[in-house]
Amino acid sequence: MLRSQLNDALKKAVLAKDACSVTTVRLILAALKERDIAARGEGNTDGISDDEIINLLQAMVKQRRESIEMYTKGNRPELAEQEAAEIAVIEKFLPVQLSDEEIEEAVRGTVSEIGATCLKDMGRTMAALREKYSGTMDFGKAGGVAKKLLG
């Protein structure tokens, strides 16, 4: 399903002559094709799943956020703006992310559900969160909340 959304978005961006969207979606499709080729080498002829595509998109957003930080430190605001525009395009294909309050609520619920009581239970807590909220939660923030609750 995401594949067709990406291809449709590319067509629309080309017709609208939206250069930023065209280049960003092409980057996504190139990375997707690369992953599909790697998956074929492992015997998966269908290509990667939508969950793996979401992970790919999240990694691309993370890379761009790191780039923005570096460009800001290097006094290159025009490049930081370009990266921010690419993030906006990529995020159109990602599921809606949980807010900070929703993350805290989810972590509290998971901690009580699995009976976590100390930092030794951090791994189980994060595994349970990844299972339930894959693609919709910032696990960096969730880890901080879990550490605070369990520590």
Side-chain angles (χ1 to χ4, degrees):
M1 187 163 137
L2 271 174
R3 289 174 196 277
S4 61
Q5 286 179 344
L6 288 164
N7 288 320
D8 291 344
L10 179 61
K11 291 174 190 171
K12 288 177 185 174
V14 168
L15 290 174
K17 297 181 181 174
D18 181 357
C20 180
S21 292
V22 169
T23 56
T24 304
V25 174
R26 281 186 177 155
L27 283 170
I28 294 169
L29 289 171
L32 179 57
K33 189 171 191 174
E34 184 180 310
R35 297 269 176 100
D36 282 343
I37 290 169
R40 273 188 230 135
E42 298 169 1
N44 182 354
T45 56
D46 296 332
I48 63 174
S49 68
D50 276 358
D51 286 340
E52 291 173 293
I53 294 171
I54 289 172
N55 290 338
L56 169 72
L57 295 174
Q58 288 173 330
M60 292 178 84
V61 168
K62 183 179 179 186
Q63 289 171 341
R64 277 152 184 78
R65 287 202 172 112
E66 291 169 358
S67 295
I68 288 173
E69 190 177 308
M70 298 303 278
Y71 289 142
T72 303
K73 287 179 183 175
N75 199 23
R76 299 294 307 265
E78 69 282 356
L79 294 175
E81 288 174 20
Q82 180 181 346
E83 295 288 330
E86 288 181 8
I87 288 173
V89 172
I90 295 168
E91 285 181 337
K92 291 178 187 176
F93 304 104
L94 287 171
V96 177
Q97 297 292 302
L98 297 175
S99 69
D100 291 347
E101 294 81 28
E102 291 169 324
I103 289 173
E104 190 166 336
E105 187 177 309
V107 171
R108 285 182 192 280
T110 302
V111 164
S112 67
E113 182 180 307
I114 65 170
T117 56
C118 62
L119 279 176
K120 289 182 180 180
D121 297 323
M122 183 77 167
R124 280 191 318 129
T125 303
M126 294 306 293
L129 288 169
R130 285 191 205 303
E131 189 176 309
K132 284 185 189 176
Y133 299 102
S134 180
T136 59
M137 181 181 281
D138 180 343
F139 292 105
K141 290 179 184 176
V145 172
K147 195 172 190 179
K148 187 173 71 175
L149 287 173
L150 298 172

